[in-house]
Amino acid sequence: REPGTYGHRTLQEIMEDLTRFAGACGHDLTHLQDNSEGALVEAIHRAANDGVDYIIFNPAGYTHTSVALRDAMLAVRIPFVEVHLSAVAAREPFRHLSYFSDIAMGVITGFQGESYMLALQAIINQIEP
């Protein structure tokens, strides 16, 4: 959808690159994509039980609407990087409000699929001295 805004790479291609990079750095990576807010809340809570150390989180349209996802992220206290493929601040005014930016360890926007890799590199830099 809207390749000029979101890029031409599929989520599968992006995740394959991230998984290879994480593995080369000695880290495991799992991922989940779901359009259901409830499923995402449940996955965030599971992450805490599974011992997940960091989350790369693209809340997409829920960025501007989901108190439930925000509360889940606060409840688990897992450090996370908020990621967006598009340059959110350069888009419509309603997209400028994020329910997550103030609680994220960082926010990366506007680099299309590369936004995820930048987030992963930032997290690995936090892990490795």
Side-chain angles (χ1 to χ4, degrees):
R1 98 178 209 235
E2 300 178 60
T5 300
Y6 299 106
H8 296 278
R9 296 172 63 210
T10 66
L11 180 59
Q12 180 177 341
E13 292 168 335
I14 292 166
M15 293 314 305
E16 287 170 358
D17 288 347
L18 291 179
T19 301
R20 271 193 300 276
F21 182 77
C25 294
H27 300 286
D28 293 324
L29 180 75
T30 61
H31 69 92
L32 166 78
Q33 189 282 326
D34 203 298
N35 293 324
S36 166
E37 183 180 35
L40 294 171
V41 168
E42 290 172 7
I44 291 166
H45 286 288
R46 263 194 322 275
N49 293 333
D50 292 345
V52 170
D53 295 316
Y54 292 88
I55 295 175
I56 297 172
F57 186 49
N58 182 344
Y62 291 123
T63 302
H64 329 290
T65 62
S66 184
V67 173
L69 285 171
R70 177 189 170 89
D71 287 349
M73 294 302 268
L74 285 169
V76 299
R77 299 177 187 252
I78 299 171
F80 72 96
V81 176
E82 179 184 351
V83 169
H84 298 281
L85 301 177
S86 68
V88 187
R91 298 187 64 193
E92 304 92 338
F94 74 87
R95 296 186 193 275
H96 299 176
L97 171 66
S98 169
Y99 282 28
F100 304 95
S101 296
D102 65 313
I103 61 172
M105 61 186 282
V107 180
I108 300 173
T109 71
F111 295 98
Q112 298 179 345
E114 232 12 66
S115 293
Y116 287 98
M117 184 63 76
L118 293 168
L120 179 57
Q121 289 173 332
I123 289 169
I124 289 173
N125 288 345
Q126 293 290 311
I127 295 169
E128 298 175 356

